[in-house]
Amino acid sequence: MSFIDSIYERAKENKKHVVVPECTNPSMMRAAVRAAGDGLADITFVGDASVCQKVAQENGIDLSGVKVVDINDKAYQDSLIERFAKLPRRGFSPKSVSKRITNPLYMALLMEAVGDADCTFGGLDTTTTEFVMATQGILGLAPGVVSPSGMLIMEIDGYAGAQGNIFGMTDGAINTEPTADQLCGIALSSCDTYTALTGNEALCGFLSYSTDGSGSSPSVFRVREGLQKAQALRPDLKIDGEFQADAAIVERVAAKKVKRESAVAGKANVLVFPDAAACNIATKLIQQFAPGHSYGPIYQGFAQPVLDCSRGDTEERIYDNVAFCSVMAGAVK
């Protein structure tokens, strides 16, 4: 079974409620309605109900299998704000949220914050900056995380390493030159995301041009510091480094370069890059030269699950992302 087929199966087995605040985009609507019909998630669109129905009618989209929450429903808005005010402070104050609640993204996130939904999915009509700012302000960040991050899931056909052929690679987008604290948070978030989506234990390697002190420069020191902080915060996770890429993923190389016991060396399936340039270059080269599939980036590090798709995503990728939402929400303890 392929990775994405396993995601479909897990989504159907533990179907969750996904809210979609972009109900005027025909591509988003078609993919989400199809996902609901296939049993991947229960879908609720959030927006102006009359406009949503008009767009659906104009594009031949049947909304009978989904719900629509009207952004103009004042009674429901008041209920959301009242319940949000009783939650621990996450970022925005209730007063600030009340000024933004007529924006469908904010209303959808409020529904998730108070427990009326399990995951918020958008991004086709919203920039990543807007999506991240709203999510951080309403849902807040997970413990030990100082900033959100993004992770690509790479499924590499024909790769036969000890860890299998599915890798998490992070962060090639949000944190361009991460601090040690940010590297720590990236690693913690990535381990949780990887395990949630694959069902496999995360084996997280911090990457560098240096393996176990073979190099000495500010970037190496920063990677080591981030590693130490991550290990201290989450001793339950298998996190190690710093490793050159081959020492992280190839057992034969790790045996030569890593002169100590390591549960990660040679078997890493989550790769934390020292900066966005390294991650962006590596993932794009893999996409060009290695047969397989990539999924994401999946934005992570928030206190509750969300998914922000690319504005260039096809309907098929949107459909897949709905399944990811359901699986991520289902993994929340």
Side-chain angles (χ1 to χ4, degrees):
M1 182 184 294
S2 69
F3 170 64
I4 194 61
D5 285 336
S6 72
I7 291 293
Y8 296 154
E9 290 303 312
R10 292 173 63 201
K12 292 175 183 177
E13 289 170 1
N14 189 17
K15 188 167 61 171
K16 295 298 178 181
H17 181 195
V18 176
V19 279
V20 180
E22 296 176 353
C23 66
T24 59
N25 187 301
S27 294
M28 176 67 83
M29 293 177 73
R30 275 191 293 266
V33 166
R34 177 185 157 208
D38 289 346
L40 299 182
D42 292 323
I43 298 292
T44 295
F45 289 116
V46 179
D48 187 308
S50 61
V51 175
C52 184
Q53 293 288 350
K54 181 173 182 292
V55 172
Q57 186 175 9
E58 290 173 347
N59 289 274
I61 301 169
D62 181 3
L63 296 182
S64 60
V66 302
K67 295 180 181 178
V68 179
V69 166
D70 194 345
I71 199 70
N72 301 305
D73 185 341
K74 186 66 167 57
Y76 188 47
Q77 289 179 4
D78 291 342
S79 170
L80 289 173
I81 294 170
E82 181 181 351
R83 285 181 284 161
F84 180 75
K86 297 176 181 177
L87 297 174
R89 181 68 177 270
R90 301 182 177 195
F92 293 136
S93 67
K95 182 178 180 180
S96 180
V97 168
S98 68
K99 297 177 180 178
R100 295 173 164 87
I101 197 169
T102 53
N103 181 317
L105 174 60
Y106 284 84
M107 190 168 184
L109 288 166
L110 277 171
M111 290 173 64
E112 183 177 354
V114 303
D116 286 0
D118 299 311
C119 188
T120 303
F121 172 50
L124 209 60
D125 294 329
T126 308
T127 67
T128 295
T129 299
E130 291 171 322
F131 193 95
V132 167
M133 182 184 73
T135 304
Q136 189 166 343
I138 292 179
L139 300 183
L141 297 174
V145 175
V146 297
S147 66
S149 59
M151 183 173 74
L152 275 173
I153 296 287
M154 311 288 285
E155 182 181 26
I156 303 173
D157 294 347
Y159 187 81
Q163 65 279 79
N165 70 331
I166 299 174
F167 293 86
M169 300 189 178
T170 186
D171 169 22
I174 294 181
N175 300 284
T176 55
E177 295 181 351
T179 64
D181 285 332
Q182 287 174 322
L183 286 171
C184 166
I186 290 168
L188 302 184
S189 300
S190 298
C191 286
D192 289 340
T193 299
Y194 184 88
T195 298
L197 290 178
T198 68
N200 299 325
E201 182 180 29
L203 303 173
C204 177
F206 273 64
L207 300 187
S208 175
Y209 72 88
S210 167
T211 295
D212 273 0
S214 65
S216 179
S217 71
S219 69
V220 176
F221 299 148
R222 179 167 42 84
V223 168
R224 286 183 201 155
E225 184 183 351
L227 167 67
Q228 291 164 0
K229 290 184 175 186
Q231 290 173 326
L233 279 172
R234 291 286 302 276
D236 58 304
L237 297 174
K238 291 180 179 176
I239 303 175
D240 205 351
E242 83 278 7
F243 299 139
Q244 291 166 300
D246 54 358
I249 65 174
V250 182
E251 287 186 297
R252 173 182 54 82
V253 177
K256 293 180 179 180
K257 293 186 176 182
V258 182
K259 306 299 184 181
R260 58 181 175 81
E261 290 294 321
S262 172
V264 175
K267 301 184 287 292
N269 52 27
V270 174
L271 305 177
V272 176
F273 288 80
D275 56 41
C279 184
N280 192 283
I281 291 167
T283 54
K284 282 181 167 52
L285 286 173
I286 292 170
Q287 288 168 334
Q288 291 299 315
F289 296 144
H293 301 84
S294 64
Y295 304 95
I298 293 164
Y299 293 104
Q300 56 187 12
F302 301 105
Q304 294 172 245
V306 297
L307 202 150
D308 171 39
C309 67
S310 168
R311 282 177 286 170
D313 274 355
T314 62
E315 286 184 24
E316 193 61 35
R317 292 197 68 145
I318 297 167
Y319 176 89
D320 291 347
N321 281 329
V322 174
F324 283 132
C325 281
S326 209
V327 172
M328 290 167 64
V332 174
K333 295 182 177 60

